[in-house]
Amino acid sequence: MDWIMKFPLTAFCVVLIWYLCFFTPPETVLSEVPLMDKWTHMVMYGGTTGVFWMECWRAMSKGFEFTKTRRLVVGVICPILMSGLIELLQAHCTGGRRSGEWLDVLANTIGVLLG
């Protein structure tokens, strides 16, 4: 629970990603833009990672102990693993409403690395 108190915006972004990945998106004119889905994935994961690093810097400036290894795991490895899990769940647990794509995982990974 202490983690959520130190990283509230990151926790909100993670919950928002889970929600957005399982609701049925409406059709818009932006749906016709080539690779719009992939850009959206990069922005979501890049933004979340950027928020995490800002909150990490803030927490560490207030004396929060966070080793380099733990920062790497929480800030890079966990979001990439989460994106793979979400894509697997989309492919197998949404009854065809959503499809899991490995290119989405690649876009998410690029977003994480840019963030």
Side-chain angles (χ1 to χ4, degrees):
M1 195 57 136
D2 185 45
W3 191 89
I4 293 175
M5 298 303 288
K6 296 222 184 308
F7 300 90
L9 296 175
T10 303
F12 174 77
C13 288
V14 168
V15 169
L16 184 62
I17 284 174
W18 278 88
Y19 171 74
L20 292 174
C21 288
F22 290 101
F23 92 111
T24 304
E27 287 295 321
T28 67
V29 293
L30 291 177
S31 301
E32 298 174 21
V33 175
L35 300 174
M36 181 54 128
D37 176 52
K38 306 311 176 239
W39 285 107
T40 303
H41 280 265
M42 283 193 284
V43 168
M44 285 190 327
Y45 278 82
T48 299
T49 303
V51 167
F52 167 76
W53 289 113
M54 286 189 291
E55 287 188 315
C56 183
W57 174 75
R58 185 191 67 207
M60 289 175 57
S61 71
K62 293 181 179 179
F64 185 66
E65 295 291 325
F66 215 34
T67 65
K68 282 185 178 183
T69 303
R70 183 167 282 175
R71 286 186 302 230
L72 178 68
V73 169
V74 174
V76 178
I77 305 299
C78 284
I80 293 170
L81 292 176
M82 181 181 83
S83 86
L85 176 63
I86 286 173
E87 293 303 320
L88 288 171
L89 290 172
Q90 283 180 336
H92 299 288
C93 299
T94 60
R97 284 185 309 109
R98 301 296 298 255
S99 63
E101 298 179 31
W102 290 111
L103 285 178
D104 287 349
V105 176
L106 177 61
N108 297 339
T109 301
I110 291 169
V112 168
L113 296 176
L114 290 174

